[in-house]
Amino acid sequence: AQSVAQPEDQVNVAEGNPLTVKCTYSVSGNPYLFWYVQYPNRGLQFLLKYITGDNLVKGSYGFEAEFNKSQTSFHLKKPSALVSDSALYFCAVRGVSPTSGTYKYIFGTGTRLKVLA
Amino acid sequence: NAGVMQNPRHLVRRRGQEARLRCSPMKGHSHVYWYRQLPEEGLKFMVYLQKENIIDESGMPKERFSAEFPKEGPSILRIQQVVRGDSAAYFCASSPDGRMNTEAFFGQGTRLTVV
């Protein structure tokens, strides 16, 4: 079955420091991976995706993510965190449903990022 | 170019009433997904629809919940005889197609409160 795991419920980082939000996945076939951010009382905003090619993917707001096939990971990174980056971050995989054969987005449980001033 | 529009943003219903949540996808998008988010929890897949078709409803409760995406008009998520446990944020997302490499765009959500 397709799945995504975000092992950390919360990540705290000081402003200006690099940040990493972890994500591991399990899929059959090629992985299509996504990161989204959710601010309080808002919907999810797309940050970036990995389809194929370069293992380092650059996205919105200075975020990037590193795809590692051997470790089945897709960690979100940013070189220098801002207080305004504080939000809930979701990793997702586009996986095929074993019952219907169709594709849907499967989300992790989310990681709350707190950037401290 | 308007994004995914959901309405209402907030909905209060008494136990036993019906809740109807609407989602208008982005222009040119024909695939719609509904998710439920409980407080401090992640997103739970409910249903995936294409125009006039239910593609995958494996996440929908078997009773009281239904969804449609007609040829014309918004997608509707309908919850009959609501109970307190239905209180949650319901998010709709859309994508232009069903390919694996396309990202979905989300609406602002409808926050349902059952009193």
Side-chain angles (χ1 to χ4, degrees):
Chain A
Q2 331 290 325
S3 65
V4 168
Q6 293 182 245
E8 302 154 318
D9 289 336
Q10 181 161 316
V11 169
N12 295 330
V13 64
E15 188 175 30
N17 282 4
L19 70 87
T20 299
V21 182
K22 295 179 181 176
C23 171
T24 58
Y25 65 89
S26 173
V27 296
S28 52
N30 293 324
Y32 296 88
L33 300 157
F34 306 82
W35 275 102
Y36 286 82
V37 60
Q38 184 182 31
Y39 296 100
N41 300 313
R42 304 291 297 274
L44 275 70
Q45 294 179 35
F46 169 74
L47 279 178
L48 51 80
K49 66 180 177 182
Y50 172 81
I51 306 302
T52 186
D54 199 349
N55 289 345
L56 187 64
V57 179
K58 294 193 183 296
S60 306
Y61 312 120
F63 283 93
E64 55 192 28
E66 188 170 9
F67 172 71
N68 188 316
K69 188 173 183 178
S70 62
Q71 296 184 3
T72 61
S73 67
F74 188 53
H75 300 333
L76 182 70
K77 299 174 186 277
K78 188 172 182 181
S80 178
L82 300 172
V83 172
S84 57
D85 293 329
S86 299
L88 189 56
Y89 289 81
F90 288 98
C91 182
V93 63
R94 186 92 189 244
V96 61
S97 169
T99 50
S100 67
T102 57
Y103 303 120
K104 61 190 180 189
Y105 300 91
I106 300 164
F107 286 84
T109 50
T111 297
R112 189 165 300 281
L113 173 67
K114 268 194 170 179
V115 181
L116 308 168
Chain B
N1 185 11
V4 178
M5 303 300 292
Q6 288 189 249
N7 67 82
R9 290 291 306 277
H10 300 273
L11 181 62
V12 179
R13 283 288 177 265
R14 296 185 187 280
R15 281 180 293 168
Q17 290 185 319
E18 178 181 288
R20 290 170 70 87
L21 287 62
R22 295 175 187 76
C23 169
S24 295
M26 285 182 71
K27 188 176 181 180
H29 288 195
S30 58
H31 294 246
V32 165
Y33 316 80
W34 285 94
Y35 289 82
R36 178 163 62 178
Q37 184 179 36
L38 293 167
E40 303 304 316
E41 290 192 17
L43 289 160
K44 300 293 186 187
F45 168 79
M46 298 184 74
V47 63
Y48 168 19
L49 309 107
Q50 199 179 353
K51 287 274 188 183
E52 299 184 280
N53 282 311
I54 295 176
I55 304 298
D56 185 337
E57 56 182 349
S58 58
M60 286 271 276
K62 295 287 183 250
E63 297 178 353
R64 302 188 297 108
F65 284 73
S66 62
E68 62 176 8
F69 188 16
K71 187 177 180 182
E72 301 291 338
S75 174
I76 306 285
L77 179 68
R78 183 180 175 207
I79 311 172
Q80 295 178 291
Q81 299 174 331
V82 296
V83 300
R84 287 233 170 93
D86 297 332
S87 295
Y90 292 83
F91 289 97
C92 165
S94 73
S95 66
D97 52 55
R99 291 181 298 171
M100 293 274 275
N101 62 352
T102 49
E103 62 270 27
F105 293 87
F106 281 77
Q108 302 274 39
T110 294
R111 279 155 185 81
L112 172 66
T113 303
V114 179
V115 297

